Amino acid sequence: MTLLLKPITRLSLFQTHFQINNNNNPRARETSVSCSWSHGAHKIVREFDPKIPIEKAITPPSSWYTDPSFYAFELDRVFYRGWQAVGYTEQIQEPRDFFSGRLGNVEFVVCRDDNGKIAAFHNVCRHHASLLVSGSGKTSCFTCPYHGWTYGLNGELRKATRISGIEDFSINDFGLVPIKVATWGPFVILNMDNEILQKDNIDTDNVASEWLGSSSELFSLNGVDTTLTYVCRREYIIECNWKIFEKVSIQSAEGGSKEKEDDRLGSKAFYAFIYPNFMINRYGPWMDTNLAIPLGPRKCLVVFDYFLEASFKDDKAFIERSLADSEKVQMEDIRLCEGVQKGIESPAYSTGRYAPNVEKAMHHFHCLLYDNLIN
């Protein structure tokens, strides 16, 4: 088997600070962080030196995987800026379809309106902050379960209850807070950066280069596209930091005869990591995606979505066997990840070393993350 290991180029990141303290602007998100924990997190970041070559480098300290202030800093610098994968287009294939989710402290909902336009909003009622929806489904509007404020799929407030006697209130000022949304191939991606939010005329044609860097064509050439049929989703809550669940490269493998190949894996495979937390695995007729969502310094949610070439979609025995094999691998990975987290929390461990011949991708990821956090 020939294995080609190529770390992807650094993706475009939005790293400008914004501090908006206008109480009359409900769309503004306060992104400045507390001086105290920001200073502490910066100190922790600097305990790793990306300039040291991998042969001599020390891995990031255990505090990168355990410290609450570092986790909060990470959310602000890494996940609340730049494009983040959150779902797939088949979830909002038809008008009035929607799905919801959470990233850090951000609750979001993505929907398609009656005209087929995709939109995304903070999933929070503007009255008293109740969540509007959960899960996924189909709806003509979003109605708050708390007091019945109702919003259109374009985010406009249609109905506001209990406002008799209120002064200085304009219904036009209390629509849902929008989030920039785009699609690439079968994926739905969001950008929560305030600078992007203010640019209503964002050129979504540039999303591929912003999200995937110079690798977008390589993804298309390796069968990462909309021709695949969605199969199912599996979710796992893992007792480890999201960074432990990582694969940090583009890898392609080809070899073996068709007579001997595993009919699930095929003779070709393509594995890709999109910074900071999204993995795409294309092998044989299958594609699965792994999304590692941070839930805290010591916990993450890993979401697997499975896609299959259309010619195999009715082969139930093949699908069940393939998913069972995949489940076995995930259980093994989970045990390993949780064991690593426990070891990292031990007083016996502070930092480690890299194996230069096989862990260049891991070192590359840590360097990207350092640069993302320090600037």
Side-chain angles (χ1 to χ4, degrees):
M1 177 179 291
T2 301
L3 183 64
L4 303 177
L5 179 62
K6 299 188 293 183
I8 64 175
T9 57
R10 181 183 176 186
L11 307 185
S12 175
L13 300 170
F14 298 88
Q15 298 174 331
T16 306
H17 292 281
F18 292 89
Q19 183 171 356
I20 305 174
N21 293 314
N22 183 353
N23 292 330
N24 295 321
N25 183 1
R27 294 186 177 187
R29 175 177 62 82
E30 177 61 71
T31 62
S32 64
V33 294
S34 163
C35 290
S36 57
W37 65 255
S38 176
H39 176 74
H42 262 288
K43 184 178 179 180
I44 294 173
V45 173
R46 290 191 178 95
E47 292 180 22
F48 173 75
D49 188 349
K51 296 180 182 179
I52 300 176
I54 188 172
E55 293 80 7
K56 298 181 179 180
I58 302 297
T59 62
S62 56
S63 52
W64 279 36
Y65 301 85
T66 61
D67 189 277
S69 67
F70 185 87
Y71 169 73
F73 189 66
E74 206 171 43
L75 286 178
D76 181 75
R77 289 295 183 91
V78 178
F79 290 96
Y80 296 159
R81 309 178 189 194
W83 294 101
Q84 307 290 336
V86 296
Y88 50 95
T89 54
E90 197 161 338
Q91 290 176 284
I92 45 170
Q93 189 171 24
E94 300 178 352
R96 301 188 176 187
D97 284 348
F98 76 89
F99 70 88
S100 62
R102 179 184 177 95
L103 180 59
N105 294 325
V106 177
E107 299 280 354
F108 62 83
V109 58
V110 180
C111 63
R112 188 183 294 273
D113 66 18
D114 288 327
N115 296 319
K117 183 179 180 180
I118 298 175
F121 306 97
H122 287 264
N123 182 22
V124 179
C125 180
R126 297 294 308 284
H127 184 208
H128 288 318
S130 173
L131 297 186
L132 294 170
V133 295
S134 62
S136 61
K138 187 179 289 288
T139 186
S140 60
C141 60
F142 299 122
T143 300
C144 178
Y146 194 13
H147 293 121
W149 280 34
T150 302
Y151 304 85
L153 299 184
N154 60 358
E156 294 180 354
L157 178 59
R158 290 182 178 177
K159 177 184 176 183
T161 62
R162 303 189 178 194
I163 60 171
S164 178
I166 194 173
E167 298 180 1
D168 300 323
F169 177 83
S170 172
I171 198 169
N172 294 327
D173 294 335
F174 282 82
L176 296 179
V177 179
I179 301 173
K180 280 297 178 183
V181 61
T183 62
W184 186 88
F187 309 119
V188 176
I189 55 178
L190 298 183
N191 193 318
M192 302 170 194
D193 190 284
N194 276 318
E195 180 183 30
I196 299 301
L197 179 61
Q198 303 305 321
K199 294 181 179 179
D200 292 334
N201 61 343
I202 183 175
D203 183 2
T204 55
D205 291 336
N206 291 328
V207 167
S209 62
E210 293 174 353
W211 187 46
L212 301 175
S214 60
S215 302
S216 58
E217 184 177 357
L218 188 59
F219 280 67
S220 299
L221 291 174
N222 281 277
V224 181
D225 54 41
T226 58
T227 63
L228 300 170
T229 298
Y230 177 73
V231 177
C232 68
R233 166 172 288 191
R234 300 279 176 84
E235 296 184 350
Y236 307 88
I237 292 180
I238 306 177
E239 298 296 326
C240 72
N241 185 277
W242 69 275
K243 294 185 292 299
I244 289 177
F245 192 89
E246 64 190 28
K247 298 174 184 175
V248 199
S249 63
I250 289 181
Q251 303 176 25
S252 61
E254 182 174 349
S257 65
K258 290 188 176 181
E259 289 78 9
K260 295 181 180 180
E261 71 185 33
D262 185 319
D263 62 352
R264 179 178 70 91
L265 299 177
S267 60
K268 294 183 179 181
F270 176 81
Y271 305 102
F273 170 87
I274 302 176
Y275 179 85
N277 66 330
F278 191 55
M279 288 146 276
I280 301 172
N281 308 305
R282 186 71 168 91
Y283 46 95
W286 285 97
M287 180 177 77
D288 68 63
T289 62
N290 318 155
L291 180 64
I293 303 172
L295 298 179
R298 299 172 176 86
K299 181 180 293 188
C300 67
L301 170 68
V302 178
V303 180
F304 284 77
D305 286 312
Y306 293 88
F307 304 79
L308 187 62
E309 291 176 4
S311 59
F312 289 83
K313 67 180 182 179
D314 295 324
D315 191 340
K316 294 183 179 180
F318 171 73
I319 293 174
E320 290 178 1
R321 184 173 69 253
S322 298
L323 292 176
D325 290 342
S326 179
E327 178 78 7
K328 182 180 178 180
V329 173
Q330 307 323 323
M331 291 299 100
E332 293 172 353
D333 284 349
I334 288 173
R335 286 192 292 270
L336 288 172
C337 290
E338 292 184 338
V340 170
Q341 182 67 37
K342 291 177 180 177
I344 281 177
E345 294 176 0
S346 167
Y349 182 86
S350 176
T351 59
R353 296 294 301 272
Y354 297 98
N357 292 332
V358 294
E359 293 181 337
K360 291 179 181 179
M362 179 185 293
H363 180 253
H364 179 62
F365 170 68
H366 290 151
C367 291
L368 285 180
L369 186 57
Y370 172 92
D371 197 38
N372 197 176
L373 293 168
I374 207 69
N375 295 317

